[in-house]
Amino acid sequence: LKGIQGIDVSRYQEKINWNKIDVSEIEFVFIKATEGQNFKDRNFKSNWKIIYHTKAHMTYNLLISLW
């Protein structure tokens, strides 16, 4: 059983070598955009530009509660 294949990327992965990833084999890519009120992921724009034209892209914003 293969299941759903996908990846989650953010600044923690540093620069991703997208040439090594077979995007035809994955069904989603979560790309971190922001965290909290002021943080913007420094790799978001470059990751988005590369993966945007595939069927697999999504973005997410991480909300941090102070309550």
Side-chain angles (χ1 to χ4, degrees):
L1 182 62
K2 180 180 173 183
I4 298 172
Q5 302 295 312
I7 58 176
D8 178 1
V9 299
S10 69
R11 67 186 170 103
Y12 297 110
Q13 285 78 40
E14 297 297 328
K15 184 173 168 102
I16 297 169
N17 185 345
W18 289 101
N19 293 322
K20 289 188 174 185
I21 299 172
D22 184 358
V23 293
S24 69
E25 293 293 319
I26 58 176
E27 298 175 76
F28 67 88
V29 177
F30 288 137
I31 306 171
K32 184 175 188 176
T34 64
E35 182 175 323
Q37 293 182 350
N38 300 314
F39 176 80
K40 293 181 182 177
D41 193 296
R42 67 177 176 251
N43 293 338
F44 173 74
K45 285 184 181 180
S46 60
N47 288 333
W48 180 255
K49 284 179 185 178
I50 292 167
I51 207 71
Y52 177 76
H53 297 290
T54 71
K55 64 181 170 76
H57 63 279
M58 290 185 193
T59 64
Y60 70 92
N61 302 297
L62 180 60
L63 174 65
I64 300 196
S65 176
L66 301 176
W67 300 90

